[in-house]
Amino acid sequence: MTDAPTLTTDRMILTALSMAHWEDYAAAWADPKMTAFIGGKPRTRQESWVKFTQAAGLWPLLGYGYWAFTDRATGQFLGNGGLAQFERGIPEIGGLPEAGWAFVPDAWGKGLATEAIAAILNWADGALKSEVRCIIDPGNVASHRVAEKLGFQQFAESDGVIGPVNVYRRECARAA
């Protein structure tokens, strides 16, 4: 069984999702602002539970997965994300690790997404040595900026079961 490594950034601790994060996670995903570009509607508690356990279950299956993002100074839950394979039926993802991130609205506009995902990609470059892809709703301007700052380049558009998305890729910085 592979556990999520704890990653530390200037302002955050990225740690394995645990029951200590559950209530904050459920509250965050019930916020319509949080889900505006991810599913388009707030999640019920049951929907959040399925996603929460799915995210935690990625690690033992794939050797990578999602982290909880917490404030380094206060321990406050800020969001979650990482790398996944969700079998979305989008051929352009091609079975490669898919980066994803979501932050509570109070954390927006502070550079936290760039900071967290940069740490995750740095870990992935060393541990996975794989290209990483991501998908972003066409209307999510902030996430498009984050992806570009992190070296992702849009190369396709897809319109599958989750609706229209732009597909990005990022080469591994330390490929063998």
Side-chain angles (χ1 to χ4, degrees):
M1 181 162 148
T2 303
D3 293 323
T6 298
L7 306 178
T8 304
T9 72
D10 288 344
R11 298 177 288 169
M12 287 176 285
I13 296 175
L14 286 58
T15 188
L17 283 165
S18 72
M19 288 307 296
H21 305 114
W22 164 241
E23 292 299 337
D24 291 331
Y25 177 99
W29 285 98
D31 185 334
K33 291 179 189 169
M34 177 107 157
T35 60
F37 295 112
I38 307 171
K41 66 178 183 62
R43 291 183 185 163
T44 66
R45 193 167 171 86
Q46 181 184 24
E47 289 167 334
S48 285
W49 179 250
V50 170
K51 293 291 190 178
F52 184 79
T53 58
Q54 177 186 44
L58 292 167
W59 285 100
L61 293 173
L62 301 173
Y64 56 85
Y66 269 31
W67 284 264
F69 305 146
T70 59
D71 184 281
R72 191 170 171 175
T74 67
Q76 177 185 2
F77 180 82
L78 300 172
N80 65 281
L83 304 171
Q85 277 191 20
F86 288 136
E87 296 300 325
R88 299 180 190 276
I90 298 173
E92 295 84 1
I93 296 174
L96 294 165
E98 174 192 339
W101 55 90
F103 283 82
V104 297
D106 286 348
W108 293 354
K110 300 175 181 175
L112 293 170
T114 302
E115 186 176 322
I117 301 305
I120 290 166
L121 292 172
N122 184 55
W123 171 83
D125 285 346
L128 305 178
K129 296 178 177 49
S130 172
E131 178 178 327
V132 175
R133 306 244 170 131
C134 71
I135 57 172
I136 302 172
D137 183 290
N140 192 341
V141 174
S143 281
H144 290 288
R145 282 193 209 121
V146 169
E148 290 168 359
K149 286 180 198 174
L150 294 169
F152 284 93
Q153 296 180 336
Q154 183 181 343
F155 74 99
E157 296 175 356
S158 181
D159 192 16
V161 290
I162 61 171
V165 292
N166 294 340
V167 186
Y168 288 79
R169 71 172 145 222
R170 178 191 171 272
E171 297 293 328
C172 173
R174 294 185 238 163

